[in-house]
Amino acid sequence: MRVLLAEDNALLREGLVLLLTSAGHEVVAVVGSGPEVLPALLEHRPDVAVLDVRMPPGFRDEGLRAALEARERIPGLPVLVLSQYVEESYAAELLGVGASGVGYLLKDRIGRVDEFLDALDRVAAGGTALDPEVVTELLTRRRDSPLDSLTPREREVLKLMAEGHDNTMIAKTLVVTERAVSKHIGNVFLKLGLPPSDSGHRRVLAVLAYLRNV
């Protein structure tokens, strides 16, 4: 897999390059500031981009802005955004422009190598990967929304869906059958008002249902 990396911290940058290459990926470009990101993406057209949210020169949201613009210029470009802290608005904005092939992880997750690489693979394949801490904070802060009607188990299932897990992994995590997971997901779709005609996209829409109000 061809990966473009945008990270200003030299130590973390080198560590990520080593991690990615050790896992068999090709790092096609490494950039260290916001203005460098888009030109590099347009030149290399990677299979996936790994971008820090805050980058020079302003250390605000340069990486996120570059990711959003890149997805406009290169439709469907898989992007995995890294952040030092939980920033719900950033996650919502990234997913709000199309939740196919996007991920938002806290940098601490990189230390859990298998989880990080699994999230990278899911994003590159067109899936989603939200950091569990981000999902937990979003779910606990929702008020006066359709989420209030979900049972504790349905909220657990939605949380795992938001993290990007498929039915098999959800069943394994919750120690239930896949049939039970399918039933819970069906209830989530029903309570969130997602019609059957949207069956191909309802998992994404379910995740966005609570992100819209961040």
Side-chain angles (χ1 to χ4, degrees), residues 37-200:
V37 176
L38 185 59
L41 287 171
L42 293 174
E43 176 183 354
H44 295 282
R45 306 279 174 143
D47 297 318
V48 61
V50 179
L51 310 174
D52 189 356
V53 167
R54 299 183 178 187
M55 300 187 68
F59 291 99
R60 292 186 295 273
D61 61 357
E62 289 83 356
L64 177 68
R65 294 286 147 224
L68 295 174
E69 187 173 354
R71 283 175 64 84
E72 289 182 3
R73 300 281 293 274
I74 312 173
L77 172 70
V79 173
L80 177 59
V81 171
L82 304 176
S83 179
Q84 189 69 40
Y85 309 105
V86 175
E87 302 271 9
E88 304 105 302
S89 59
Y90 289 166
E93 189 166 1
L94 181 65
L95 288 163
V97 295
S100 173
V102 295
Y104 184 97
L105 294 182
L106 296 182
K107 289 186 176 180
D108 288 347
R109 198 66 50 184
I110 298 171
R112 303 175 186 180
V113 175
D114 290 341
E115 291 183 27
F116 172 71
L117 293 175
D118 179 61
L120 183 69
D121 288 341
R122 289 205 307 272
V123 170
T128 59
L130 279 181
D131 193 284
E133 290 187 33
V134 175
V135 175
T136 297
E137 187 151 341
L138 290 170
L139 284 172
T140 55
R141 290 189 179 187
R142 295 286 74 74
R143 295 293 183 271
D144 300 321
S145 78
L147 292 175
D148 295 335
S149 65
L150 300 183
T151 67
R153 177 62 81 180
E154 288 163 358
R155 293 170 75 89
E156 285 181 310
V157 170
L158 176 56
K159 177 179 182 292
L160 291 168
M161 286 170 57
E163 290 170 19
H165 299 298
D166 60 19
N167 288 17
T168 301
M169 182 56 69
I170 293 173
K172 181 178 179 181
T173 300
L174 299 180
V175 195
V176 297
T177 65
E178 288 190 44
R179 182 176 180 180
V181 170
S182 295
K183 181 179 179 180
H184 290 312
I185 290 175
N187 289 338
V188 170
F189 291 157
L190 181 64
K191 292 178 179 180
L192 295 182
L194 303 176
S197 60
D198 289 327
S199 59

